[in-house]
Amino acid sequence: MRLLVGSRRSWVELCLSILILLLLWDVNVVLSDSKYLVGLGSYDITGPAADVNMMGYANTEQTASGVHFRLRARSFIVAEPHGNRVAFINLDACMASQLVTIKVLERLKARYGDLYTEKNVAISGIHTHAGPGGYLQYVVYIVTSLGFVRQSFDVLVDGIEKSIIEAHENLRPGSIFVNKGEILDAGVNRSPSAYLNNPAAERSKYKYNVDKEMTLLKFVDDQWGSVGSFNWFATHGTSMSRTNSLVSGDNKGAAARFMEDWFEKNGAARTYDDDFEAEEVPRRVSNIISSHHDKHHELLEVAASFQSSPGQPATKVLNAAKRVRNILRQAEKPGFVSAFCQTNCGDVSPNVLGAFCIDSGLPCDFNHSTCGGKNELCYGRGPGYPDEFESTRIIGERQLKKAIELFNKASEKLEGKVDSRHSYVDFSQLEVKIPKQGQDFEVVKTCPAAMGFAFAAGTTDGPGAFDFKQGDDKGNPFWRLVRNLLKTPGKEQVDCQHPKPILLDTGEMKQPYDWAPSILPVQVFRIGQLVILSVPGEFTTMAGRRLRDAVKAVLTSSKEFNGNVHVVIAGLTNTYSQYITTIEEYEMQRYEGASTLYGPHTLSAYIQEFNKLTTALLKGQTVEAGPQPPDLLNKQISLLTPVVVDMAPVGENFGDCISDVPKNTTFKKGDMVSVVFNSACPRNDLMTEGTFALVEVLHGTDTWVPVYDDDDFCLRFIWSRPSRLSTRSQAKMEWRIPQSAARGVYRISHFGAAKSLFGSIHHFSGSSSAFVVA
């Protein structure tokens, strides 16, 4: 009997064990049901904040002198568990650089072998015009930066690599959702006369003369939940003007900061509030810090006990910025990464109030964007006019608001293959087949790169100088003489580029090395029913529509998609080759047409090549790699003078607060707090993943807790020297107190690095006196 009972017990235990194993197996199946591995990463790419010309406006007087907020590289990787993968990197930079892409790929090959190559890595720029220049390899793009700037280049390559490494190490089972929606008030067409030259029948298909749609991806980790979002929306990074000198990610960089802060604030919840005050930038820290001192007079007494102390030497600056960003983050959970990517923004301006003459206040001339015949008087106005910082915030928040809505409501899951195709194409003399009525097609050619006279006129976002104007299809004799001193275009080139009058024949200028690219990358990513077209330039609204429609027609011809496919253009990706207009817009020769390098058939060439890649993608066919672009790193010339030495005034120290807050001062929310320190050139140390400026709040009796740094929209680091060759410099910190700032005792600190006459670098720090925020 005992044996029988024992046998029954063993049998029951065995059955229970099997049942538990089956349940556990089923749970594991559920947890690993995701068809993708998803990983996101982010890293600081803030370049030199002093002396270096900014990339975008080509204004020789626009040199960096401080930080509005920091720049970052943000990456996502999507992989099949045992198959293909793609990596997309979004840069807070004006555009991608061929040379940066080449060097990043070299590093990835050394680290990962053939896991990440030019076929499945896309590096895209948001098109801010407030980032340090000098990192592209072609002459025409580095003239205003006095040639190549190694520091700008290195911080980009390093930061991109580190963001990819982080994304790679964060790869885990997860899901991706896609959603779309319209933003009606974040972009206007800055070349409407050119847009109107497109066929009326084509224009009638669209409600607006710019694309209003945002496409957003939501990344969800099976364990941690939401870990990021990337979106694409067309508007230029020109809310910050051509006279701004603070390094800034402009409206898209600001939107990314705001969304990451919004998520961190809501991170503990399973659902996320999509409401926020219109005037309030989301904050991550201050609302969790409480003061032990409730009465105002007690706060003043405490503040009076903390006076500004002399600047003092410091070790390599503690990672204050990272501490601020990580206060609310769970220790092992990946940080939330949000990127606001660029698409076909070629003729789209964030200066939504329109373009006006600064002398009369009247609207600019419609066809030429001039005022009394002068282009330099015509400027677009942002929604915060005349405050460019306010315009940047508003356009950033308008994108943020839609992104939060799409993020919260995203329900369509991406499902299907992960794949990619890539090819290098010589656009200087590419044969293009164009369909014609009455016959199959005609063969035309693209041209070696050239820029027209209207290129020098600039745009309403940043007008040029002298007597150039948009819509010029003739040129003038004086500037032709100047042009001929550099290179006189031949008849074949003139005919090929017609009706563009050639100002700079960049594609045929080779001294001291290539002035413009001829070999360009074209690339297609597929993630389920989402297809990303990586283009190395700025497509106008209608040019982008034609490209998307052409690719979508190829995709939907396959039963695999059943008509459900999302096609987005990733602009300014992998390298830069300026603009791409329709042939009708090209005829108008406004700025965008004059900057369409490869002639009137440039768009048709892109459509042809992307159709080839898309067809190969659908059929599982390989494509030819094409001719390799040149690596011109060893030919680069730099005329930017190095930092020689930094000196503090006699009897003073680096880090001394030389303009302090008034004693016994109480500030209100919305006030501006300003302090000035003896400083040194920011090029001595970029403070990567650190900060030049820090706002701290007193916690307890003697513990200072960092709450805002130079990665915050509300805190500006403004650097200056008395004269260009002076060895002395100052750093001004401006803190606009947010409405969300906690009541308490605060101080502002500055971190920097000074160069001695013998070349050694010494770090220093200094702090203001304490003050009260009521």
Side-chain angles (χ1 to χ4, degrees):
M1 181 67 73
R2 264 189 214 142
L3 288 174
L4 183 58
V5 170
S7 297
R8 285 177 178 171
R9 184 179 298 157
S10 299
W11 175 251
V12 171
E13 290 174 349
L14 178 62
C15 289
L16 285 172
S17 297
I18 292 172
L19 180 61
I20 290 170
L21 287 171
L22 286 171
L23 287 171
L24 287 174
W25 181 82
D26 186 58
V27 168
N28 287 332
V29 167
V30 172
L31 289 176
S32 62
D33 189 46
S34 298
K35 301 299 190 297
Y36 302 133
L37 301 176
V38 174
L40 288 89
S42 175
Y43 202 79
D44 190 352
I45 56 169
T46 308
D51 303 328
V52 175
N53 188 253
M54 290 185 168
M55 183 63 198
Y57 288 117
N59 176 14
T60 56
E61 297 179 359
Q62 188 192 16
T63 56
S65 60
V67 176
H68 180 205
F69 58 88
R70 287 193 165 259
L71 311 180
R72 300 194 72 79
R74 295 174 170 92
S75 302
F76 75 74
I77 298 174
V78 177
E80 297 169 340
H82 303 289
N84 297 326
R85 64 183 59 204
V86 293
F88 187 92
I89 302 91
N90 190 64
L91 305 180
D92 288 344
C94 193
M95 67 282 289
S97 154
Q98 184 67 73
L99 189 58
V100 169
T101 301
I102 288 171
K103 296 307 176 184
V104 168
L105 292 173
E106 287 179 359
R107 290 195 184 185
L108 293 176
K109 184 172 181 61
R111 181 179 292 271
Y112 297 113
D114 292 330
L115 200 58
Y116 301 104
T117 69
E118 71 273 3
K119 297 176 184 177
N120 65 353
V121 174
I123 302 173
S124 183
I126 63 171
H127 210 37
T128 173
H129 285 43
Y135 62 91
L136 287 87
Q137 69 172 352
Y138 297 104
V139 173
V140 75
Y141 306 129
I142 56 176
V143 170
T144 58
S145 60
L146 300 178
F148 189 69
V149 180
R150 187 68 194 230
Q151 201 171 29
S152 296
F153 173 79
D154 285 342
V155 74
L156 279 168
V157 175
D158 292 343
I160 294 168
E161 181 192 24
K162 286 182 170 65
S163 74
I164 294 172
I165 291 170
E166 182 176 314
H168 178 84
E169 293 178 348
N170 283 337
L171 278 171
R172 301 172 54 86
S175 302
I176 310 165
F177 298 85
V178 63
N179 202 2
K180 292 181 176 181
E182 288 188 338
I183 309 174
L184 300 181
D185 54 1
V188 296
N189 197 306
R190 69 185 187 188
S191 287
S193 60
Y195 180 87
L196 287 172
N197 205 45
N198 291 306
E202 181 180 33
R203 287 186 281 111
S204 68
K205 296 191 298 183
Y206 304 99
K207 187 175 181 180
Y208 305 106
N209 63 0
V210 296
D211 285 339
K212 301 287 189 179
E213 189 172 71
M214 172 182 280
T215 300
L216 178 138
L217 298 182
K218 176 179 180 178
F219 297 92
V220 181
D221 184 290
D222 280 359
Q223 178 182 355
W224 294 111
S226 299
V227 290
S229 72
F230 277 55
N231 68 69
W232 290 264
F233 175 76
T235 195
H236 248 75
T238 49
S239 293
M240 301 297 288
S241 73
R242 69 191 297 273
T243 60
N244 162 64
S245 64
L246 300 185
V247 171
S248 174
D250 210 277
N251 58 71
K252 286 188 175 291
R257 299 300 182 291
F258 299 162
M259 189 158 185
E260 289 171 349
D261 290 350
W262 165 82
F263 186 88
E264 294 296 341
K265 178 181 177 181
N266 293 274
R270 299 303 296 177
T271 59
Y272 308 103
D273 181 16
D274 60 0
D275 294 326
F276 61 93
E277 296 297 326
E279 75 282 2
E280 179 57 27
V281 173
R283 266 304 309 155
R284 24 174 200 269
V285 176
S286 58
N287 58 345
I288 69 165
I289 295 176
S290 59
S291 174
H292 291 286
H293 309 279
D294 295 325
K295 296 181 179 179
H296 182 243
H297 72 274
E298 290 182 358
L299 291 174
L300 284 172
E301 289 176 3
V302 172
S305 66
F306 291 94
Q307 297 299 310
S308 171
S309 56
Q312 55 190 347
T315 56
K316 175 72 175 177
V317 177
L318 294 174
N319 204 335
K322 197 148 192 174
R323 288 207 309 273
V324 171
R325 284 193 293 276
N326 283 348
I327 284 180
L328 294 180
R329 185 174 299 163
Q330 298 178 43
E332 296 180 1
K333 183 178 179 179
F336 186 84
V337 178
S338 178
F340 285 66
C341 311
Q342 195 56 271
T343 177
N344 55 318
C345 68
D347 52 0
V348 188
S349 170
N351 297 312
V352 293
L353 299 185
F356 296 87
C357 299
I358 60 175
D359 56 346
S360 67
L362 298 174
C364 304
D365 174 78
F366 182 77
N367 289 316
H368 302 289
S369 297
T370 54
C371 300
K374 296 182 178 181
N375 73 83
E376 55 263 47
L377 300 178
C378 176
Y379 277 88
R381 294 179 181 176
Y385 175 82
D387 186 339
E388 62 189 303
F389 295 97
E390 186 67 3
S391 291
T392 299
R393 181 190 67 80
I394 293 170
I395 296 297
E397 285 190 349
R398 288 175 180 176
Q399 292 174 78
L400 165 71
K401 185 175 182 179
K402 179 56 64 174
I404 291 174
E405 176 190 326
L406 297 177
F407 180 86
N408 282 336
K409 296 178 180 178
S411 60
E412 181 184 342
K413 198 172 185 178
L414 294 185
E415 296 178 314
K417 298 176 183 177
V418 174
D419 208 349
S420 61
R421 292 295 184 275
H422 175 282
S423 182
Y424 289 114
V425 179
D426 188 343
F427 270 72
S428 65
Q429 288 184 319
L430 180 66
E431 288 191 350
V432 183
K433 295 180 179 179
I434 298 180
K436 281 292 185 182
Q437 292 181 350
Q439 60 185 60
D440 291 335
F441 55 82
E442 72 166 324
V443 177
V444 295
K445 279 189 174 184
T446 56
C447 325
M451 297 190 294
F453 276 68
F455 157 79
T459 71
T460 56
D461 291 335
F466 305 110
D467 54 351
F468 295 101
K469 65 180 181 180
Q470 296 194 67
D472 183 359
D473 60 359
K474 299 287 191 281
N476 72 57
F478 173 76
W479 289 111
R480 289 183 193 277
L481 288 173
V482 175
R483 172 202 68 189
N484 292 344
L485 295 175
L486 294 172
K487 173 74 171 65
T488 304
K491 183 179 183 305
E492 183 179 356
Q493 173 74 325
V494 170
D495 292 343
C496 186
Q497 291 279 352
H498 182 78
K500 178 198 293 177
I502 297 172
L503 176 64
L504 290 172
D505 190 15
T506 52
E508 298 182 313
M509 296 166 69
K510 305 295 182 182
Q511 297 300 325
Y513 44 88
D514 291 359
W515 279 56
S518 58
I519 298 170
L520 302 178
V522 289
Q523 183 183 55
V524 177
F525 281 2
R526 175 188 176 182
I527 308 170
Q529 65 270 33
L530 173 77
V531 172
I532 302 172
L533 311 179
S534 298
V535 301
E538 305 173 59
F539 277 61
T540 60
T541 298
M542 194 64 84
R545 289 168 176 170
R546 290 184 189 177
L547 176 62
R548 287 197 304 263
D549 288 348
V551 170
K552 190 170 185 178
V554 175
L555 292 168
T556 53
S557 67
S558 166
K559 295 180 180 179
E560 189 174 350
F561 285 96
N562 295 319
N564 181 29
V565 60
H566 306 278
V567 180
V568 297
I569 291 173
L572 305 114
T573 301
N574 293 326
T575 190
Y576 184 62
S577 61
Q578 296 175 243
Y579 284 75
I580 301 92
T581 65
T582 67
I583 192 168
E584 295 85 357
E585 292 165 347
Y586 186 90
E587 290 170 354
M588 298 298 290
Q589 280 300 293
R590 283 182 61 90
Y591 174 82
E592 295 81 14
S595 303
T596 296
L597 296 185
Y598 307 102
H601 303 296
T602 300
L603 174 59
S604 296
Y606 273 103
I607 291 173
Q608 171 182 284
E609 297 306 308
F610 272 101
N611 281 348
K612 288 180 183 178
L613 291 186
T614 306
T615 301
L617 186 81
L618 284 175
K619 295 182 177 180
Q621 298 171 339
T622 59
V623 294
E624 292 184 9
Q628 289 293 311
D631 177 345
L632 302 176
L633 181 59
N634 293 331
K635 294 186 177 182
Q636 295 301 311
I637 298 170
S638 178
L639 301 177
L640 179 69
T641 55
V643 179
V644 178
V645 64
D646 294 288
M647 298 181 69
V650 176
E652 298 181 21
N653 303 314
F654 293 111
D656 282 357
C657 188
I658 56 177
S659 179
D660 205 353
V661 292
K663 291 183 178 180
N664 301 319
T665 303
T666 298
F667 294 95
K668 301 185 299 296
K669 295 171 183 179
D671 287 348
M672 177 75 82
V673 185
S674 178
V675 293
V676 181
F677 297 88
N678 282 332
S679 192
C681 185
R683 287 197 279 157
N684 295 325
D685 188 329
L686 302 181
M687 300 296 176
T688 302
E689 290 292 354
T691 187
F692 291 106
L694 190 66
V695 174
E696 300 168 287
V697 66
L698 184 65
H699 199 215
T701 58
D702 59 359
T703 302
W704 290 100
V705 178
V707 286
Y708 300 94
D709 53 56
D710 67 11
D711 196 23
D712 278 290
F713 198 87
C714 63
L715 180 60
R716 301 173 196 166
F717 161 64
I718 305 169
W719 179 84
S720 64
R721 55 163 68 99
S723 62
R724 186 172 183 82
L725 299 178
S726 176
T727 59
R728 299 178 183 178
S729 62
Q730 296 178 353
K732 183 179 183 180
M733 314 298 168
E734 291 183 347
W735 181 41
R736 176 73 67 184
I737 303 174
Q739 295 300 316
S740 58
R743 186 168 179 261
V745 176
Y746 289 80
R747 72 178 183 183
I748 297 176
S749 296
H750 170 43
F751 302 98
K755 186 175 184 180
S756 73
L757 188 59
F758 302 103
S760 58
I761 303 295
H762 303 279
H763 289 84
F764 63 86
S765 65
S767 299
S768 72
S769 297
F771 55 91
V772 173
V773 173

